[in-house]
Amino acid sequence: MENIILIIIAAIFVNNIVLAQFLGICPFLGVSSKINTAAGMGGAVLFVMTLATIITFLIQHYILNPLSLGFLQTITFILVIAALVQMVEIILKKVSPSLYQALGIFLPLITTNCAVLGVAILVIQKQFNLVESVVFAMANAVGFTLALIIFAGIREHLDLMGVPKGMRGIPIALVVAGLLSLAFMGFAGLVK
């Protein structure tokens, strides 16, 4: 139980997937202009990252490792994540059109979100078991969502401020992202 708590704290705060490991920067900058879209993207990432980690973990341990095909890990994981996102999109379109409309734009963005692939690979590198892998994936998705919502809130506030013309948009967003990353570095000594 202690190990699970350490995994959660480390993934959300200490080794935040966006602010410490710099994975998922594209959606972090692209979808963070409004809190509503940031929350929607965070929910979609939570679902897909958890499901993708479970599936890639099982493929790694029950197909790639027994057949000595570990060198195909990255390409296999990319294909699995892309196929998973497509299947989720198709199923949502048929089963819950309202949820599909709510997540519509976020699902294709997740296909190219390197945070999903990064977590799937990190789970294998850290040699987690299945339960630890699921907890790690969910905690990373929560950390991604937390960083995204905080960043979106700051960006919404900046839209109301008198930001100099040359710093509006992406320049000020990058400065804020750097400052947010520094703020999360304050958690560095919490766990290993």
Side-chain angles (χ1 to χ4, degrees):
M1 185 64 176
E2 182 180 323
N3 190 32
I4 299 294
I5 293 169
L6 290 176
I7 289 172
I8 292 169
I9 292 170
I12 294 174
F13 299 110
V14 179
N15 296 319
N16 186 286
I17 197 80
V18 177
L19 301 173
Q21 297 183 33
F22 307 112
L23 294 173
I25 295 292
C26 293
F28 182 70
L29 292 174
V31 187
S32 62
S33 58
K34 301 283 182 222
I35 291 177
N36 293 345
T37 56
M41 180 65 168
V45 167
L46 174 67
F47 179 73
V48 171
M49 189 178 284
T50 304
L51 200 56
T53 300
I54 292 169
I55 293 170
T56 55
F57 178 91
L58 295 173
I59 287 173
Q60 180 72 36
H61 288 282
Y62 295 107
I63 296 174
L64 296 179
N65 287 351
L67 297 175
S68 299
L69 297 173
F71 61 93
L72 292 174
Q73 178 190 58
T74 304
I75 191 71
T76 304
F77 286 10
I78 290 170
L79 292 172
V80 165
I81 291 166
L84 176 66
V85 170
Q86 286 299 108
M87 286 189 330
V88 167
E89 193 170 356
I90 291 168
I91 291 169
L92 280 178
K93 198 174 200 178
K94 291 192 185 286
V95 173
S96 178
S98 60
L99 184 59
Y100 173 75
Q101 289 297 326
L103 296 178
I105 187 142
F106 304 120
L107 288 173
L109 287 174
I110 293 171
T111 305
T112 59
N113 187 346
C114 58
V116 177
L117 177 62
V119 168
I121 291 173
L122 283 171
V123 160
I124 304 302
Q125 288 177 349
K126 293 177 182 281
Q127 298 179 345
F128 287 149
N129 61 36
L130 185 58
V131 172
E132 291 171 336
S133 299
V134 171
V135 168
F136 183 74
M138 292 175 79
N140 270 292
V142 168
F144 178 84
T145 304
L146 176 67
L148 198 61
I149 289 173
I150 290 170
F151 190 57
I154 294 170
R155 285 185 71 182
E156 279 187 4
H157 186 69
L158 283 173
D159 288 344
L160 303 174
M161 303 299 294
V163 178
K165 188 175 181 180
M167 289 297 290
R168 290 184 188 145
I170 294 297
I172 193 70
L174 291 173
V175 170
V176 169
L179 292 172
L180 196 55
S181 181
L182 285 172
F184 268 69
M185 283 179 63
F187 295 113
L190 218 53
V191 292
K192 290 182 181 184

